[in-house]
Structures are given as structure tokens and as C-alpha cells.
Amino acid sequence: MSHPVPPPLASLPPGPLPVVLAGARGHGRTHLVNIHRLEQAGLVRLVGICELTPLSAEELAGFGTPEQSDDFAGLLKRTGARVAVVCTPIHTHTELALTAADHGVHTLLEKPTTPSYAEFERLLAGLAERGTACQVGFQSLGSGAVDAIRRLVADGAIGTVRGIGAAGAWVRDDAYYRRVPWAGRRSLNGRDVVDGVLTNPLAHAVATALRLDGSERAEDIAGIELEQFRANDIEADDTSCLRVRTARGTRITVAVTLCAERAGEPYVVVHGSRGRITFWYKQDRVLVERADGGTHDDDGAADGSGASGTSPAGTDPVGTSPAGTDPAGTVHGRTDLLENLVAHLRDGTELLVPAPRTGAFMRIVEAIRTGPPPTPLPAGAWHTVPGEKAPRRVVRGIDALVAASADTLSTFSELGAGWAAPPTEVHPR
């Protein structure tokens, strides 16, 4: 099959780029809102929506009458789209991104990139053959904080890096797993899905930690250890700890749960020999703490004291928890990933999250896909409380365990959780 070669940058149509959105409900609604913002800025125009059930006039308020269809390929062809935003079930990512590429259409593809490493390789090969761009939707990697933290580390602000920890404590009720057939599944009708806490809801914690270490490509992963559990009656994990050893020798630990006692802001901590840097990635907020108890913002201006509501780093930066709900620090700006993709197509601006740079993350997805299924937690390890729409399961003491893992770079079993078995070392391809 021959594939149309996308037009060079100079031949893109003047004015707003025509965009098709595949998947406009659920999380796709956030993309719809963002496309409306970029329409107002004159950067894009929504020409089509691919959904099994068309959106109502109320759902499309402010958009006019973009064409709607469940035929993605036909929609791309008829609308003359140049960009597609793909926010569909994980197991459809590869096919839809390659279908877009077949029509010379560039993509913003939701994370995780694909459900397996073989699919990832197929996607990269197809994109290279067709010559189209693909940006992956790790929004946290659009934060200006990421480069600011990397500069601080390179300048020695916290001494020698001793490791990176990440923590995420979220709550999801039973309705979350009933909203779509693939939610919480490892596979569906013989197709890989891998919809677990590490690969989807809190995948940003994993990807952000890898970016901060500069370990983003497949070859940057030297070892993977997993402790995966589930309190809910699902196939995939809802409470897990991951430890990665990178090719550069960094130890990265990510502890996450969807069964928290109370919802908290996820964060990543870079531990150094003379301090640490904490990044609340959904808020673009960064706090630098020094081993002498002082804090300073990104410009290096020290205030000489610990931040309000936080414990100073002390003499051993690995082992101190960033407590409090509103720590002081610097809030950075963020570049929207669709806006960045448009800039890339218009003037060659570098993509923030091109698909090849998600290779290390995809090695982790593959380890989870091929590793042992998550262990069901014993009934005594969790209890049920009312949720927003339905009851939800809470793992006892998990909030403190998740924070302790990020602080000490230890796994749940090493921290003494009675229900946790030692980590499994997985050797993905």
C-alpha cells in the first residue's frame, strides 16, 4: 500500500489548522475544551468528531457544526484534516494513529502510547515510513518546571543525585471501573489493554521521573522491579510500586494508588547529596530544599528557612517527607501539547513529547504486560467507604506508604507492608 506523503511545512494551509477529535467524551472532553481555546486563538478549527454516538448540540455548544462520524478514516479524508487528536481506548491507539498517518495527518495521541512494545515498534516504523509527527499526551512534560529542575540538577543545586522518587495517592470508586468495558483490564477480547494505575491514571508520575533523569528511550532502562496489587475486583493493578534502574545508574521508585485514604497531589522528588527538589507536576510547582534546612526558588534566591508546612531536608535528603498541602515554591508556566504540535508543523518548533521519547515508558508498560498479574489484597488490607458516585475501596495506611516510598526509594515490602511480597524483577524485551 502506498501512503501519501504529508505536505512540507511551507505548504500547510494558511489560517487555523483543521483538526479532527477522536474520542470527545470522558477525558476527551478536556481536549474538546482545549480545541475551543485554540480556536479562539486562531490556531486550529474543529472540522470533525469521531464518536460511536454523535455529540448533541449542547455538547457542541460554541463549535458550530463539525462533521460527525464513527468512520475515522472517512472523516479525515472528507474534512481535509491536518491534525488528529486521538483520545480513545488504549488498545485502539496504534491503529488510529497509523490510520491518521496514512492520510498524511499528524497526531496528538493520548498516553499510554500503545498497549505493548511490539505495537510501539509498529507505530514508530509506520510513522517513519509515512513521515508524520506524533506527540504523546503526557501533559506534565509540557511544564517549564521540567527543564528548570534539570538545570538546577546540572548546576549542582542539590549535589550528586542519589535517586528519584514519585508518589501518587488518588481515589477512584467502583463507578470508575464500570464506565467503559476496558477500564481496569489487562486485555479485552484477546487484545492487550494494560489499563493499570502505573500505565494510565498515574502514568505521568512514571514519565515525569524518567524525563527528569534524562532516561526516556528504550535503551535507557537497565532493570525493572514490580510490586503490583489490587484491592478492587479488576484485572489490572490499582496499588503498585515500581523501581527502575536506568542505564546511567539512577534508581527511580514510583509508588501509586487509586485506593487512597484521601486524594493528594502527585509529586516527584529528586534526591541529592545536599538537598532535594520536589515537583508537584499537576500544579507546575517546584520546591528546592537544601540539606542545611534552607529553601530557594529556581533563581537560587535562598530564604534561609524551611518552607511553610514542610519539613526541611535535614542532613539526609532521602528520608524526609514533603508534608503540608500548600508548600512554598515556584510555579512555572506550561506549554499545551496540541499548541506545541501546531507550532512544530508551522515553524519546526521541537516537539515536547515525540513518540520515540516514550520508549523507556513503553519498556515499563511491556514489563507490566508480560509480568505476573497483580496480587489481590487480602480483605483485611482494605475497607469500603462511600465514593462520589459509588462505594470505593481504601487500602489501610497506603497514603503513608506511598509517601515513604518516594522519600526512601523503597518498595512497599521493604517498608514492611504486611500484604506486600518482595518485588519481581521483570526482563522485558
Side-chain angles (χ1 to χ4, degrees):
M1 176 180 179
S2 62
H3 303 288
V5 177
L9 297 180
S11 67
L12 285 174
L17 288 183
V19 173
V20 161
L21 172 60
R25 294 192 173 95
H27 180 61
R29 179 68 191 175
T30 64
H31 288 290
L32 195 62
V33 170
N34 189 50
I35 289 170
H36 186 266
R37 179 184 69 85
L38 296 181
E39 277 197 339
Q40 299 299 108
L43 296 178
V44 304
R45 58 187 175 90
L46 184 66
V47 295
I49 292 177
C50 186
E51 268 287 357
L52 297 178
T53 303
L55 271 63
S56 67
E58 182 179 1
E59 290 174 300
L60 277 175
F63 281 105
T65 56
E67 182 177 347
Q68 300 197 64
S69 172
D70 60 1
D71 176 9
F72 185 57
L75 192 60
L76 295 175
K77 184 176 181 179
R78 290 190 301 273
T79 61
R82 294 299 176 86
V83 174
V85 177
V86 177
C87 185
T88 58
I90 298 165
H91 54 289
T92 67
H93 284 187
T94 309
E95 291 301 332
L96 293 183
L98 290 180
T99 296
D102 283 343
H103 291 78
V105 176
H106 310 275
T107 52
L108 171 59
L109 179 65
E110 260 302 339
K111 53 76 186 163
T113 317
T114 61
S116 71
Y117 200 81
E119 288 285 279
F120 179 65
E121 290 183 314
R122 184 162 77 93
L123 174 66
L124 294 189
L127 292 171
E129 179 186 355
R130 295 153 175 84
T132 53
C134 178
Q135 175 112 284
V136 180
F138 285 108
Q139 300 99 322
S140 62
L141 303 186
S143 177
V146 174
D147 285 342
I149 292 170
R150 288 179 56 80
R151 286 193 298 270
L152 285 165
V153 171
D155 291 343
I158 57 170
T160 303
V161 172
R162 300 173 58 184
I164 299 174
W170 280 1
V171 300
R172 294 292 185 270
D173 60 23
D174 289 347
Y176 174 79
Y177 295 107
R178 296 198 305 266
R179 75 194 195 282
V180 289
W182 54 271
R185 301 292 296 268
R186 286 170 65 86
S187 64
L188 181 65
N189 299 327
R191 300 180 67 183
D192 292 316
V193 177
V194 200
D195 180 39
V197 61
L198 284 165
T199 57
N200 195 8
L202 282 158
H204 286 85
V206 180
T208 304
L210 291 170
R211 172 69 63 93
L212 290 177
D213 190 55
S215 299
E216 298 173 273
R217 298 184 182 271
E219 60 268 24
D220 295 331
I221 301 296
I224 298 172
E225 296 173 275
L226 287 168
E227 291 185 6
Q228 292 185 280
F229 308 93
R230 58 177 179 85
N232 287 280
D233 185 17
I234 57 175
E235 291 180 352
D237 56 313
D238 57 38
T239 301
S240 290
C241 191
L242 160 76
R243 185 157 58 200
V244 175
R245 180 169 51 85
T246 70
R248 60 192 299 164
T250 306
R251 181 173 45 154
I252 298 175
T253 302
V254 181
V256 289
T257 185
L258 299 179
C259 304
E261 294 157 317
R262 55 188 59 83
E265 284 294 332
Y267 59 90
V268 179
V269 187
V270 182
H271 297 278
S273 58
R274 296 200 307 272
R276 68 180 186 176
I277 303 170
T278 304
F279 175 31
W280 290 266
Y281 60 79
K282 283 180 64 68
Q283 300 177 332
D284 301 305
R285 191 167 73 239
V286 176
L287 180 68
V288 183
E289 298 173 281
R290 303 177 309 185
D292 60 9
T295 66
H296 61 80
D297 295 331
D298 297 356
D299 60 6
D303 69 6
S305 63
S308 173
T310 61
S311 301
T315 56
D316 183 0
V318 178
T320 305
S321 174
T325 58
D326 188 25
T330 301
V331 177
H332 291 260
R334 178 179 292 207
T335 300
D336 174 70
L337 296 184
L338 180 55
E339 194 167 352
N340 173 246
L341 175 58
V342 171
H344 172 74
L345 299 176
R346 284 295 188 198
D347 58 29
T349 297
E350 184 178 359
L351 285 178
L352 288 167
V353 198
R357 289 183 69 180
T358 65
F361 175 79
M362 285 306 307
R363 284 284 303 277
I364 292 167
V365 171
E366 184 71 359
I368 292 169
R369 186 186 75 86
T370 60
T375 302
L377 289 176
W382 55 270
H383 64 284
T384 301
V385 301
E388 183 178 348
K389 298 179 180 178
R392 68 178 184 89
R393 298 184 182 187
V394 177
V395 176
R396 302 180 193 279
I398 191 61
D399 297 26
L401 274 174
V402 163
S405 174
D407 293 338
T408 65
L409 307 180
S410 303
T411 66
F412 294 150
S413 63
E414 291 167 347
L415 291 167
W419 39 261
T424 299
E425 187 160 356
V426 184
H427 301 279
R429 53 168 296 173

